């Protein structure tokens, strides 16, 4: 999979999927003169009988208050829309929500065994709860508090349930119901269908490297090759499983395709690392996809239309600079290590500092620098550092920890993008070594791309600013949005999906809530 899709992270193209939307939920008859009403004084008793729907009580009461106590019935019985909604709820697993609706048997009685044409309070309230259950799980996702518990601080905008007029409008039941999500949601949903089908067909069997063998390559013969062939066939990387034990061209091509999809180079060999990845169960892959679909619900779909932004995906160690909906630049990055996790949040680059000072954070000064000064009085001089206003800073230059340029988007987390003198880290597969900031391999290229547009600078002028030997800043006329996010699965529009290591162990905590039933 080309990483050009990788962090649309926050938007690339905008797919639309057919699903029920809050905008679809004003029953058509409410605007057609139908006047059946319910006794809202009996609503509290309903929630005593059906406590699993208790979280939606306030919303249900507001629904009837807003619409004059009208019901989901018309003169012929339940309106057609309620059956459409019920069908969507039955397919909720396809949306990456592995739940069943509470009191499922009650809904089977209503929709599959023939509902009465006479308005019924219990049926009426069950359907209203079904609506809020579906929209809260599929459209909104976890509350802001829950998402922040998983380390997600990207700005979220939730629908105001108190303003139902803005949520609901009449649309023709003959049209598809559509709801817009952050663009990555749709390819993830397509991938989920694929893996759910694999699961229904029995999944895949684990692969074992034969004893005494460290790796296998072209022309080798082994039972392991046969197992690899079958395994890659199940996932769709080989068109036909011949059962051959020979490491032939079809196996070679399949390994290459698999490595491309996973952004990993296996050097055309069967290695323990390849087998480790192939032995992750289909159930685990489904869980990972579902978790990342949930994260997509936390991103405002308005991002899909953004003309310019920078996106960093922490687990894939990649940065993308998008302009006019297309990736202009892709770069490897180094992110925070386990005890200095890079925070998931958004901001806007307001200025670029060339040939910057590095103002050592107080935590690093206390834990790392002061003990070294105590051992070696010349430590600061040797590191091109100095005291300044009671703090330590490193002078500009090639050995500066920030390299030759930094991109500032002021935030309470004190995180920014910057160059790095330690280029060797970018050659490693897992690049979590920083204290939280994001080191950018192609920092110079990023600076050139930004300054060409913002100030009509050429590469020579950028290089001169970077090597000036003293800090000089340029304030951007147009701030550039930056999104730092956490996706352990990313799909393109061609059926390929990449899975990344859960660097900060956040998937399981999220899945524990998502898969609670």
């Amino acid at each position: 999979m080309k990483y050009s899709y990788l962090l649309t992270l926050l938007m690339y193209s905008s797919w639309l999927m057919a699903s029920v939307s809050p905008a679809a939920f004003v029953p058509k008859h409410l605007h057609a003169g139908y006047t059946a009403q319910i006794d809202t004084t009996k609503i509290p008793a309903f929630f005593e009988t059906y406590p699993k729907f208790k979280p939606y009580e306030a919303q249900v009461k507001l629904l009837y208050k807003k619409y004059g106590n009208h019901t989901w019935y018309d003169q012929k019985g339940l309106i057609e829309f309620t059956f459409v909604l019920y069908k969507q709820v039955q397919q909720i697993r396809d949306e990456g929500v592995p739940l069943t609706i509470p009191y499922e048997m009650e809904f089977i009685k209503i929709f599959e065994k023939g509902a009465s044409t006479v308005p019924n309070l219990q049926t009426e309230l069950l359907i209203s709860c079904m609506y809020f259950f579906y929209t809260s799980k599929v459209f909104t996702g976890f509350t802001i508090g829950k998402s922040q518990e998983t380390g997600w601080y990207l700005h979220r905008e939730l629908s105001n349930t108190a303003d139902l007029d803005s949520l609901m409008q009449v649309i023709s039941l003959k049209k598809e119901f559509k709801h817009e999500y952050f663009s990555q949601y749709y390819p993830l949903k397509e991938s989920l269908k694929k893996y759910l089908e694999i699961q229904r067909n029995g999944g895949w069997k684990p692969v074992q490297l034969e004893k005494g063998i460290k790796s296998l390559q072209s022309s080798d013969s082994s039972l392991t090759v046969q197992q690899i062939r079958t395994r890659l066939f199940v996932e769709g990387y080989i068109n036909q499983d011949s059962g051959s034990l020979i490491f032939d061209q079809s196996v070679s091509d399949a390994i290459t395709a698999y490595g491309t999809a996973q952004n990993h180079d296996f050097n055309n060999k069967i290695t323990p690392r390849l087998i480790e990845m192939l032995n992750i169960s289909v159930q685990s892959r489904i869980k990972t996809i579902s978790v990342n679909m949930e994260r997509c619900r936390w991103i405002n779909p308005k991002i899909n239309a953004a003309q310019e932004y920078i996106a960093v995906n922490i687990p894939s160690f990649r940065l993308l600079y998008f302009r006019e909906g297309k990736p202009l630049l892709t770069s490897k990055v180094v992110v925070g290590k386990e005890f200095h996790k890079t925070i998931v949040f958004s901001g806007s680059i307001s200025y670029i500092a060339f040939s910057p000072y590095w103002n050592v954070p107080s935590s690093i000064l206390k834990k790392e620098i002061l003990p070294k000064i105590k051992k070696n009085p010349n430590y600061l001089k040797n590191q091109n550092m100095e005291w300044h206003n009671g703090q330590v800073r490193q002078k500009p230059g090639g050995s500066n920890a920030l390299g030759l340029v930094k991109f500032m988007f002021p935030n309470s987390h004190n995180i920014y993008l910057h160059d790095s003198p330690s280029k060797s880290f970018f050659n490693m597969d897992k690049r979590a070594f920083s204290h939280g900031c994001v080191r950018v391999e192609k920092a110079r290229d990023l600076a050139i791309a930004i300054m060409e547009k913002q100030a009509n600078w050429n590469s020579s002028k950028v290089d001169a600013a970077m090597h000036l030997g003293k800090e000089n800043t340029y304030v951007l006329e147009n701030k550039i949005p930056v999104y730092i996010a956490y996706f352990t699965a990313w799909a393109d529009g061609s059926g390929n999906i990449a899975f990344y290591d859960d660097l900060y162990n956040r998937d399981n905590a999220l899945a524990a809530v998502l898969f609670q039933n």
Side-chain angles (χ1 to χ4, degrees), residues 2 7 43 61 111 152 156 212 234 284 319 343 350 368 377 386 411 465 473 494:
K2 293 183 179 179
L7 243 187
I43 290 178
K61 289 179 178 179
F111 292 101
W152 187 278
R156 294 181 60 188
V234 170
S284 180
L319 171 149
I343 303 296
S350 58
E368 301 180 28
E386 64 182 7
N411 59 85
T473 63
S494 303

Side-chain angles (χ1 to χ4, degrees), residues 39 44 84 101 142 168 212 256 284 352 379 425 430 432 481:
D39 183 356
V84 176
I101 188 170
F142 292 172
M168 306 166 71
T256 298
S284 180
I352 299 176
Y379 177 80
F425 286 128
K430 296 183 178 181

Side-chain angles (χ1 to χ4, degrees), residues 44-299:
F46 168 85
F47 287 101
E48 294 299 322
T49 305
Y50 297 96
K52 292 180 182 179
F53 282 144
K54 186 72 172 176
Y56 311 120
E57 182 173 3
Q59 293 166 296
V60 168
K61 289 179 178 179
L62 187 56
L63 176 68
Y64 293 107
K65 180 180 179 181
K66 281 281 186 178
Y67 293 100
N69 298 344
H70 289 289
T71 77
W72 294 107
Y73 289 83
D74 63 14
Q75 292 89 342
K76 298 178 181 179
L78 287 173
I79 62 172
E80 182 180 354
F81 177 77
T82 61
F83 292 88
V84 176
L85 172 60
Y86 177 61
K87 183 178 179 181
Q88 294 296 127
V89 172
Q90 287 180 303
Q91 299 171 353
I92 197 169
R93 285 182 173 84
D94 293 340
E95 306 295 340
V97 181
L99 301 175
T100 56
I101 188 170
Y103 313 108
E104 186 175 21
M105 290 305 300
E106 298 285 356
F107 291 100
I108 290 175
K109 292 177 185 177
I110 293 171
F111 292 101
E112 298 180 22
K113 296 185 178 181
S116 170
T117 59
V118 179
N120 176 278
L121 178 63
Q122 176 177 293
T123 299
E124 171 70 27
L125 295 178
L126 282 169
I127 293 173
S128 293
C129 289
M130 177 173 65
Y131 155 52
F132 286 112
F133 169 83
Y134 185 85
T135 55
S136 66
K137 301 298 182 184
V138 176
F139 298 155
T140 307
F142 292 172
T143 64
I144 291 177
K146 282 288 186 182
S147 60
Q148 289 183 347
E149 286 177 11
T150 70
W152 187 278
Y153 290 92
L154 275 177
H155 178 65
R156 294 181 60 188
E157 292 182 12
L158 299 182
S159 298
N160 182 2
T161 56
D163 186 10
L164 291 179
D165 288 331
S166 67
L167 285 176
M168 306 166 71
Q169 64 183 16
V170 179
I171 67 173
S172 171
L173 288 172
K174 296 180 181 179
K175 297 180 180 179
E176 288 184 323
F177 297 109
K178 296 181 183 291
H179 178 74
E180 188 179 8
Y181 297 90
F182 166 50
S183 59
Q184 177 57 196
Y185 187 92
Y186 306 101
L188 282 175
K189 183 179 179 181
E190 288 302 310
S191 295
L192 180 63
K193 289 181 181 178
K194 171 184 173 180
Y195 286 88
L196 286 172
E197 182 65 23
I198 292 173
Q199 183 185 50
R200 283 190 287 269
N201 292 332
W204 51 67
K205 296 180 181 179
V207 176
Q208 293 184 334
L209 193 60
E210 286 192 85
K211 190 175 182 180
I213 297 177
K214 293 184 178 180
S215 67
L216 293 163
Q217 56 190 3
S218 184
S219 299
D220 286 345
S221 178
S222 170
L223 285 172
T224 300
V225 175
Q226 184 185 57
Q227 294 173 3
I228 289 283
R229 184 189 302 277
T230 300
R231 167 66 181 82
L232 291 172
F233 169 74
V234 170
E235 201 169 359
Y237 290 98
I238 291 181
N239 293 329
Q240 185 176 0
D241 182 7
S242 66
S244 172
L245 280 66
I246 305 299
F247 194 139
D248 57 17
Q249 191 62 43
S250 64
V251 172
S252 177
D253 291 344
I255 291 174
T256 298
Y258 181 79
T260 300
Q262 304 307 316
N263 287 302
H264 193 95
D265 186 2
F266 295 106
N267 297 314
N268 199 32
K269 293 182 179 181
I270 296 174
T271 64
R273 175 57 176 160
L274 172 61
I275 292 174
E276 178 187 6
M277 292 177 67
L278 291 175
N279 282 346
I280 295 174
S281 69
V282 67
Q283 290 85 355
S284 180
R285 293 308 196 196
I286 289 171
K287 180 181 75 173
T288 299
I289 296 171
S290 299
V291 161
N292 286 279
M293 289 176 71
E294 174 66 20
R295 290 181 174 125
C296 288
R297 296 185 185 99
W298 303 347
I299 298 177

Side-chain angles (χ1 to χ4, degrees), residues 350-358 393-397 400 402-408 447 451 455 457 460-476:
S350 58
Y351 70 93
I352 299 176
F354 298 99
S355 196
Y357 281 101
W358 176 42
R393 67 180 184 179
Q394 190 173 36
K395 300 176 185 178
N400 186 284
L402 305 185
L404 299 173
V405 61
K406 66 178 179 178
F407 308 84
M408 298 300 295
M451 294 304 293
W457 285 21
S460 296
K461 192 166 185 178
V462 171
D463 286 337
M466 289 174 64
H467 293 87
L468 190 60
K470 62 179 181 179
E471 184 169 288
N472 57 113
T473 63
Y474 184 89
V475 178
L476 301 186

Side-chain angles (χ1 to χ4, degrees), residues 357-370 373 379-380 383-388 390-395 400-402 406 414 416 435:
Y357 281 101
W358 176 42
N359 298 300
V360 179
S362 299
S363 59
I364 298 178
L365 175 63
K366 181 179 180 180
K367 295 179 181 179
E368 301 180 28
I369 304 298
L370 291 180
I373 293 175
Y379 177 80
L380 291 183
Q383 298 298 318
N384 198 28
M385 292 179 171
E386 64 182 7
W387 285 99
H388 179 73
Q391 292 294 111
V392 169
R393 67 180 184 179
Q394 190 173 36
K395 300 176 185 178
N400 186 284
L402 305 185
K406 66 178 179 178
N414 196 29
Y416 44 88
H435 286 84

